[in-house]
Structures are given as C-alpha cells and as structure tokens.
Amino acid sequence: MGKQTGGISMGYNNLAEGCHKYLSFSAGLRSDYLSGPWKIYDYAAASKGFVFFLNSSIPEESDMIKRICEKMDYRPGSSTMGYGTDNDGDGLNNATNPYNVGFMVSDYYANGSLWCSFPNKSFQQRKGKAIEAHPGKIYVSLIWSDGDNIQFEANQMYNMFKHAKGRGMVPVGYTMASSLQELNPKLLEFFYKNLTPNDELLAGPSGFQFIYGDKYNENNFKKWLELNNNWLTTAGFHTVCLWNTTNKERFGEYMKTCGLQGVFDGFNNNKERYERGNNGEGIVCVLQGAHCWNEGDVFNDLIKISPDNERPVFHNVYLIAASYGGTEGYERLIRELQRLESHKPDTFEFLLPMDLCATLKDYIEKHNHK
C-alpha cells in the first residue's frame, strides 16, 4: 500500500496541473477484473481526469483522497466517476463530498469518450397530474432503482426499455442521471423517444449527482442546490430520490430549492412532508419505501398496508433493477399486482411517481392537513 499511496502522491504533486479541473476517477482492478472488466477507462484517458483507487474506510487512504481533492481544489459540480474500491462502494461519498465532489457511478460504462462528443441537449416531460384521492384507497407508485449509475442506463435499463414484455401496462418510474444531457445525450433521447404514458423518468439519488447531503461541503451546499435545480430542470425531471440527507435544515433546503413536485426520501424517518418552494409552489416528500429484490417482495410489502377510512394512504415501492428488473421485470411485477388484486380487490390504485406526488399535494392543500 505504501508504494500505491506514494505513487499517487507523486502523481498529484507533479501531474495535477494537467488534469481535468472538475473530473476525477475512482478506477482500478477489482477481484472481478477478468469476469467483469471495467469499461470506463477510455473516458478517464480522454478527459484527463485524475485517477485514484483508494479505500476511504482506511485512514491512510482516506487522507490521501483528502489531499488529492485539496490539491485539485475542486469546485461545486465536480464529479468522481467509476466506483469505490473493495467494500467502499457508495461510501466514497464520505471522503469526496466534503471537498465539493459528487459521485457519478459508472464502473461498467463504455465508450464514454464517444457518447459525450454529441452536443448537449435539454429535455421536457409532462408534469404530474393530480387525481381525486378518496379515503379507503391506497395510492402506490413504483420506481426502478439504480439510475444514478449511468452504466445501468446504458445496459440494464436500455434493455428493459427495448425488450421487456409488459412495459407500459403498469405505471413505473425509471431513475436516471441528469448528467446524461452532457455525458450521453443520445441515450437520454432514446428514453424520451420511447416513453409510454405509463413511464416516467426521474432523478436517482440524490438529484444532479449522487451525494450524501449530510456530508457535502457546508460552505458550498447552497451552490450545489442551485446546480441541482438547473440540471433537473433541463433534464425534464419532476421527482427525485434523496439519500443520506437526514439533517433537518439541509433536507428542508433541498425541498425548497429543487423545483420539483416531489421527493422520495430513502433515509429520513419522516412520513409525508409538505413544503413551500422558494417560488411558493407546494412540494411533497414521500418515503421511498421497501427495497424489492425478488418476486414476492412487492406483494409482501403492499399486503401489509391497511386502508384508512378517514383518509387516503400514499405509498411508494422501490424496485431493485439489478435483480428484480431485466427483460422479465415487468412480467414479475404484473404477476404480483394481479395476486395483490385477488387478495384485496379495489383497494390499490397505481400511479406514476409524479402523479402520486401531485395527488398527495392536491389532497394536502384541499384538506389543509400536513
């Protein structure tokens, strides 16, 4: 390890000036380098981003990440691509976020230097529409996970959009990386061109980039929120999944500034939440809900929910694309929902995430109930 950290130290002392000012890469050889070789290397070379492969859970290596970030003096909006080493994974945020660096998970993302060569493009999507919500009914949205990882868009989700039987029969949201506007506008254009009325594109954790909101640089978090609003607007997204932002003040600032219709919170213990955005618009928070890995998980989660004769119930389910998804994902899901209907008929109504948020917002505003 001494040789590795020593080599990196030499690198940032002598080569940092020639490296990309907003981009770095956590990229190296893992144990799966033969069975599942990474494909991000071409983009790392073409962009001249600083490359390291360090474990933030090891103090010596975490300190090295800190020194790299300080030497590079990254500004808000800077990204690390690739993935964390060993068991570090998403935890790389802990080491990089305090230095204005967000995560852009992308270990198996291929041909990045080609796809980013196309002109940037902005997109639009219809906004969520409210329906009349009634007591005794359970309103549910469904979201495919992992869209913050751009290799999922290029592989798993691309294949689902193109080949999955039953897509369009059930309303489901797809998490996406808003950075595709710049990194791969042709891919984001593919999803928009092939949307059915029962598809929605929304932002994966935690919006513009994958960050831990509680860890991001305290002096520049508001600047990150501005960037977040801009990128989500031009991506055409109206809802988002938010992780690791448990600080009450930061969570509130996110809600007020994101400019969206709803936030699906994966790490707070709050129930439904209603805020006024900076322009006076209402925005709601819904719990992200159970992680469903295998067929049967959706049924087991929803069957436990009891309707309330006093007010409607709102709920979300988080479908893990890596295991539940794939080209057979919708067939699994449809079987589960049919089974659910046979056990509790006329109880559940399924909505797109943005429509669920619009419906909840409308209900809260009409009944003055938070």
Side-chain angles (χ1 to χ4, degrees):
M1 191 58 64
K3 290 183 178 179
Q4 180 184 1
T5 54
I8 292 175
S9 177
M10 183 181 297
Y12 72 68
N13 282 322
N14 298 307
L15 303 176
E17 289 301 316
C19 289
H20 199 290
K21 302 305 179 185
Y22 286 88
L23 195 58
S24 59
F25 292 83
S26 174
L29 293 181
R30 292 188 307 203
S31 59
D32 60 354
Y33 73 97
L34 291 178
S35 60
W38 288 22
K39 300 177 182 179
I40 192 66
Y41 299 124
D42 75 295
Y43 191 58
S47 65
K48 297 182 180 179
F50 195 103
V51 181
F52 60 88
F53 202 49
L54 299 164
N55 192 329
S56 67
S57 63
I58 299 174
E60 180 186 5
E61 298 189 28
S62 180
D63 183 65
M64 184 64 69
I65 296 172
K66 172 185 174 181
R67 289 157 65 187
I68 291 169
C69 292
E70 288 178 338
K71 177 71 174 181
M72 294 301 299
D73 192 26
Y74 291 117
R75 300 292 88 195
S78 299
S79 296
T80 291
M81 300 183 72
Y83 200 50
T85 180
D86 301 322
N87 296 321
D88 204 18
D90 295 346
L92 186 62
N93 277 309
N94 289 314
T96 59
N97 289 176
Y99 303 96
N100 304 312
V101 181
F103 210 174
M104 200 66 65
V105 184
S106 49
D107 39 3
Y108 299 119
Y109 181 62
N111 297 322
S113 54
L114 167 67
W115 294 117
C116 73
S117 65
F118 292 90
N120 296 359
K121 187 173 181 179
S122 298
F123 298 85
Q124 289 186 340
Q125 188 174 197
R126 75 158 177 90
K127 293 193 75 172
K129 298 178 182 178
I131 65 170
E132 189 71 28
H134 301 283
K137 294 281 286 186
I138 301 170
Y139 298 91
V140 181
S141 57
L142 303 156
I143 294 176
W144 289 114
S145 74
D146 291 294
D148 60 297
N149 186 338
I150 59 174
Q151 70 95 356
F152 265 85
E153 272 99 67
N155 298 299
Q156 180 89 320
M157 292 180 173
Y158 175 84
N159 287 328
M160 288 172 66
F161 241 67
K162 197 166 186 178
H163 301 297
K165 294 180 181 178
R167 184 174 70 87
M169 294 179 63
V170 180
V172 188
Y174 280 74
T175 50
M176 288 273 147
S178 63
S179 59
L180 289 177
Q181 300 168 80
E182 180 179 284
L183 287 173
N184 195 334
K186 286 294 183 182
L187 182 57
L188 190 53
E189 185 178 45
F190 163 81
F191 288 111
Y192 267 105
K193 284 184 175 180
N194 289 281
L195 285 176
T196 75
N198 273 332
D199 296 318
E200 176 189 349
L201 305 182
L202 66 148
S206 297
F208 154 51
Q209 296 170 311
F210 182 21
I211 68 164
Y212 292 172
D214 293 339
K215 294 289 186 178
Y216 202 83
N217 184 290
E218 61 180 341
N219 296 320
N220 287 316
F221 186 59
K222 288 187 177 180
K223 177 61 178 177
W224 187 91
L225 292 173
E226 292 176 13
L227 292 168
N228 187 53
N229 181 296
N230 293 338
W231 278 81
L232 296 182
T233 298
T234 53
F237 299 160
H238 303 303
T239 54
V240 65
C241 295
L242 180 62
W243 286 12
N244 293 89
T245 307
T246 59
N247 177 277
K248 186 176 180 180
E249 183 176 329
R250 290 198 173 198
F251 185 84
E253 282 298 307
Y254 190 101
M255 290 276 286
K256 292 174 184 177
T257 61
C258 64
L260 302 172
Q261 291 183 278
V263 171
F264 291 89
D265 181 23
F267 278 79
N268 248 345
N269 293 318
N270 292 328
K271 295 229 174 197
E272 296 157 6
R273 180 167 170 174
Y274 180 93
E275 294 272 1
R276 289 285 182 184
N278 287 339
N279 296 320
E281 73 284 5
I283 177 172
V284 296
C285 169
V286 180
L287 293 185
Q288 183 182 276
H291 287 203
C292 294
W293 294 83
N294 302 297
E295 184 169 350
D297 290 351
V298 175
F299 175 85
N300 291 336
D301 178 56
L302 294 178
I303 198 66
K304 295 181 293 188
I305 305 173
S306 298
D308 186 338
N309 291 327
E310 299 296 322
R311 59 162 292 172
V313 175
F314 297 88
H315 189 79
N316 185 69
V317 175
Y318 200 58
L319 305 169
I320 305 303
S323 57
Y324 195 108
T327 56
E328 297 178 357
Y330 279 92
E331 294 173 291
R332 297 185 187 100
L333 181 59
I334 290 168
R335 285 195 295 267
E336 292 218 62
L337 300 189
Q338 289 172 339
R339 181 185 173 199
L340 187 69
E341 179 66 17
S342 70
H343 281 72
K344 285 187 176 181
D346 301 319
T347 302
F348 296 90
E349 185 162 350
F350 293 88
L351 304 172
L352 286 172
M354 59 183 173
D355 294 333
L356 181 90
C357 290
T359 301
L360 173 58
K361 169 183 169 293
D362 182 69
Y363 179 82
I364 290 174
E365 291 177 344
K366 285 180 176 177
H367 294 81
N368 195 29
H369 176 73
K370 298 183 182 179

